[in-house]
PDB file of all heavy atoms in Angstrom:
ATOM      1  N   ALA A1899      -1.146  11.916   3.998  1.00  0.00           N
ATOM      2  CA  ALA A1899      -0.154  11.314   3.084  1.00  0.00           C
ATOM      3  C   ALA A1899       1.051  10.928   3.933  1.00  0.00           C
ATOM      4  O   ALA A1899       1.449  11.699   4.817  1.00  0.00           O
ATOM      5  CB  ALA A1899       0.262  12.324   2.020  1.00  0.00           C
ATOM      6  N   GLY A1900       1.655   9.765   3.646  1.00  0.00           N
ATOM      7  CA  GLY A1900       2.865   9.374   4.373  1.00  0.00           C
ATOM      8  C   GLY A1900       3.934  10.456   4.278  1.00  0.00           C
ATOM      9  O   GLY A1900       4.716  10.661   5.201  1.00  0.00           O
ATOM     10  N   THR A1901       3.951  11.161   3.161  1.00  0.00           N
ATOM     11  CA  THR A1901       4.924  12.240   2.941  1.00  0.00           C
ATOM     12  C   THR A1901       4.857  13.290   4.035  1.00  0.00           C
ATOM     13  O   THR A1901       5.864  13.926   4.354  1.00  0.00           O
ATOM     14  CB  THR A1901       4.624  12.969   1.607  1.00  0.00           C
ATOM     15  OG1 THR A1901       3.924  12.089   0.760  1.00  0.00           O
ATOM     16  CG2 THR A1901       5.862  13.478   0.950  1.00  0.00           C
ATOM     17  N   ALA A1902       3.671  13.512   4.596  1.00  0.00           N
ATOM     18  CA  ALA A1902       3.517  14.567   5.601  1.00  0.00           C
ATOM     19  C   ALA A1902       4.361  14.274   6.834  1.00  0.00           C
ATOM     20  O   ALA A1902       4.769  15.185   7.553  1.00  0.00           O
ATOM     21  CB  ALA A1902       2.049  14.709   5.992  1.00  0.00           C
ATOM     22  N   ALA A1903       4.644  12.984   7.067  1.00  0.00           N
ATOM     23  CA  ALA A1903       5.424  12.620   8.247  1.00  0.00           C
ATOM     24  C   ALA A1903       6.753  13.361   8.265  1.00  0.00           C
ATOM     25  O   ALA A1903       7.257  13.724   9.320  1.00  0.00           O
ATOM     26  CB  ALA A1903       5.648  11.111   8.280  1.00  0.00           C
ATOM     27  N   THR A1904       7.327  13.566   7.087  1.00  0.00           N
ATOM     28  CA  THR A1904       8.649  14.190   7.042  1.00  0.00           C
ATOM     29  C   THR A1904       8.675  15.534   6.328  1.00  0.00           C
ATOM     30  O   THR A1904       9.669  16.245   6.407  1.00  0.00           O
ATOM     31  CB  THR A1904       9.653  13.246   6.343  1.00  0.00           C
ATOM     32  OG1 THR A1904       9.092  12.851   5.098  1.00  0.00           O
ATOM     33  CG2 THR A1904       9.939  12.018   7.196  1.00  0.00           C
ATOM     34  N   MET A1905       7.603  15.904   5.612  1.00  0.00           N
ATOM     35  CA  MET A1905       7.636  17.176   4.867  1.00  0.00           C
ATOM     36  C   MET A1905       6.710  18.213   5.496  1.00  0.00           C
ATOM     37  O   MET A1905       6.391  19.220   4.880  1.00  0.00           O
ATOM     38  CB  MET A1905       7.247  16.928   3.399  1.00  0.00           C
ATOM     39  CG  MET A1905       8.257  16.046   2.669  1.00  0.00           C
ATOM     40  SD  MET A1905       7.733  15.647   0.992  1.00  0.00           S
ATOM     41  CE  MET A1905       8.457  16.993   0.075  1.00  0.00           C
ATOM     42  N   HIS A1906       6.299  17.964   6.711  1.00  0.00           N
ATOM     43  CA  HIS A1906       5.275  18.819   7.319  1.00  0.00           C
ATOM     44  C   HIS A1906       5.756  20.233   7.566  1.00  0.00           C
ATOM     45  O   HIS A1906       4.958  21.165   7.575  1.00  0.00           O
ATOM     46  CB  HIS A1906       4.773  18.199   8.626  1.00  0.00           C
ATOM     47  CG  HIS A1906       5.860  17.895   9.615  1.00  0.00           C
ATOM     48  ND1 HIS A1906       6.177  18.732  10.641  1.00  0.00           N
ATOM     49  CD2 HIS A1906       6.709  16.837   9.702  1.00  0.00           C
ATOM     50  CE1 HIS A1906       7.171  18.192  11.345  1.00  0.00           C
ATOM     51  NE2 HIS A1906       7.507  17.046  10.793  1.00  0.00           N
ATOM     52  N   ARG A1907       7.063  20.416   7.739  1.00  0.00           N
ATOM     53  CA  ARG A1907       7.511  21.761   8.086  1.00  0.00           C
ATOM     54  C   ARG A1907       7.474  22.713   6.901  1.00  0.00           C
ATOM     55  O   ARG A1907       7.153  23.878   7.052  1.00  0.00           O
ATOM     56  CB  ARG A1907       8.940  21.715   8.631  1.00  0.00           C
ATOM     57  CG  ARG A1907       9.039  21.062   9.993  1.00  0.00           C
ATOM     58  CD  ARG A1907      10.298  21.538  10.693  1.00  0.00           C
ATOM     59  NE  ARG A1907      10.512  20.764  11.905  1.00  0.00           N
ATOM     60  CZ  ARG A1907      11.284  19.693  11.967  1.00  0.00           C
ATOM     61  NH1 ARG A1907      11.906  19.273  10.902  1.00  0.00           N
ATOM     62  NH2 ARG A1907      11.437  19.049  13.095  1.00  0.00           N
ATOM     63  N   GLY A1908       7.807  22.203   5.733  1.00  0.00           N
ATOM     64  CA  GLY A1908       7.875  23.099   4.582  1.00  0.00           C
ATOM     65  C   GLY A1908       6.556  23.244   3.847  1.00  0.00           C
ATOM     66  O   GLY A1908       6.337  24.216   3.134  1.00  0.00           O
ATOM     67  N   ALA A1909       5.659  22.264   4.019  1.00  0.00           N
ATOM     68  CA  ALA A1909       4.399  22.281   3.260  1.00  0.00           C
ATOM     69  C   ALA A1909       3.311  23.013   4.041  1.00  0.00           C
ATOM     70  O   ALA A1909       3.453  23.270   5.239  1.00  0.00           O
ATOM     71  CB  ALA A1909       3.968  20.837   3.007  1.00  0.00           C
TER      72      ALA A1909
END
Side-chain angles (χ1 to χ4, degrees):
T1901 336
T1904 52
M1905 295 175 90
H1906 55 97
R1907 290 203 189 95

